[in-house]
Amino acid sequence: MKHDMATYELFFGSLSNPNRLQIIILLRAGPKNVNEICLALGFEQTMVSHNLKRLEKCGMVMVEVQGKFRFYTLNMKTITPLMELIDAHMSMYCSHVVHPDGKMCH
Amino acid sequence: MKHDMATYELFFGSLSNPNRLQIIILLRAGPKNVNEICLALGFEQTMVSHNLKRLEKCGMVMVEVQGKFRFYTLNMKTITPLMELIDAHMSMYCSHVVHPDGKMCH
DNA sequence: TTCATATATGTCAAAAACATCATATGATAT
DNA sequence: ATATCATATGATGTTTTTGACATATATGAA
């Protein structure tokens, strides 16, 4: 472990919220500006901006300003191997933890 | 992305807590029972048990019962490449986000 | 069986994270 | 210069997460 705990907390915490995860999934299809994200997901604008800020802070998205628009791009270099790793992990160790309806079991 | 969002939320949420991260870091040195973890980190027993349960639920640790003791083992197969990925990511994109004193900047 | 040790579980108050509201900033168009 | 659109920021009430306490369970010892 190279970094301090606050760094890991920032990183994992940024990915542990359902709205942020939905934004991430959406951005896998390509860069989008804020309003496009709002429309695609039915989210309120300020909520999206707040969450994009958090994702940007941990390097998960990058922003490109185009006039009054701001296009957000997903950091594929990280997110692709990360999701592969977790998919493999969850398939192997935790296929039981989440029910089809999305609720966890105990 | 193979799994549903609740699965990712469970996984990342389990790793986004400083006490759980400390437990993970400690277990990298080898399996420990609950009381050993408490003593090593100065944590209270029930807090450790609660957090170990959460880490177990997402497959990050495994438990081996030995009499009245329960030894917890870190899932190195996942944690090692995961931490490598994040170290590389944070070095490249976010070396600025955390100050030497551990506080984030804005 | 009774006691002590090791750990887990249920409950709840405090703390943290969150979404929303109100507002500010910044850019383009008129 | 002002209006409008796109997005960001600050404050706040609400929800969620968390750790601590009380207690339960389970194992081994006496």
Side-chain angles (χ1 to χ4, degrees):
Chain A
M1 264 181 166
K2 224 171 131 184
H3 296 276
D4 62 19
M5 273 195 359
T7 304
Y8 295 101
E9 213 186 323
L10 168 67
F11 184 89
F12 291 121
S14 298
L15 301 180
S16 67
N17 171 282
N19 293 343
R20 283 194 292 271
L21 280 170
Q22 280 199 246
I23 292 173
I24 287 172
I25 292 168
L26 178 68
L27 290 181
R28 277 164 42 108
K32 295 220 176 330
N33 67 42
V34 177
N35 200 50
E36 287 172 335
I37 296 170
C38 292
L39 290 176
L41 300 176
F43 288 170
E44 195 229 357
Q45 180 262 313
T46 65
M47 185 264 267
V48 170
S49 282
H50 278 298
N51 282 324
L52 284 169
K53 191 184 180 185
R54 169 105 198 224
L55 290 172
E56 196 188 357
K57 184 149 67 177
C58 79
M60 200 52 56
V61 303
M62 289 88 153
V63 64
E64 194 206 341
V65 181
Q66 274 181 32
K68 58 180 171 175
F69 300 92
R70 295 180 142 239
F71 282 86
Y72 285 87
T73 306
L74 190 61
N75 183 342
M76 292 297 205
K77 218 159 182 169
T78 295
I79 205 73
T80 302
L82 180 65
M83 288 312 187
E84 277 170 15
L85 193 70
I86 295 173
D87 282 334
H89 169 89
M90 290 312 236
S91 297
M92 180 130 30
Y93 302 104
C94 311
S95 49
H96 59 288
V97 292
V98 179
H99 285 296
D101 65 359
K103 269 169 203 139
M104 295 178 201
C105 61
H106 297 282
Chain B
M1 266 181 164
K2 221 170 133 186
H3 296 276
D4 63 18
M5 272 198 358
T7 304
Y8 296 101
E9 216 185 323
L10 168 67
F11 184 88
F12 291 120
S14 298
L15 301 181
S16 68
N17 170 282
N19 292 345
R20 284 194 290 271
L21 280 170
Q22 279 199 247
I23 292 173
I24 288 173
I25 292 169
L26 178 68
L27 290 182
R28 278 163 43 106
K32 295 219 178 330
N33 68 41
V34 177
N35 200 50
E36 287 172 335
I37 296 170
C38 292
L39 290 176
L41 299 175
F43 288 172
E44 196 231 357
Q45 181 262 312
T46 66
M47 185 264 267
V48 170
S49 282
H50 278 298
N51 282 323
L52 284 169
K53 191 183 181 186
R54 168 105 198 226
L55 289 173
E56 195 187 358
K57 184 150 67 179
C58 78
M60 200 51 56
V61 302
M62 289 89 154
V63 64
E64 193 206 341
V65 181
Q66 273 180 33
K68 59 179 171 177
F69 299 93
R70 297 181 141 237
F71 282 85
Y72 284 88
T73 306
L74 191 61
N75 184 342
M76 292 298 206
K77 217 159 181 168
T78 296
I79 205 73
T80 302
L82 180 65
M83 288 311 186
E84 276 169 15
L85 194 72
I86 294 170
D87 281 335
H89 169 88
M90 290 310 234
S91 296
M92 180 127 34
Y93 302 103
C94 312
S95 49
H96 59 289
V97 291
V98 178
H99 285 296
D101 65 0
K103 271 169 201 139
M104 294 178 199
C105 61
H106 299 278

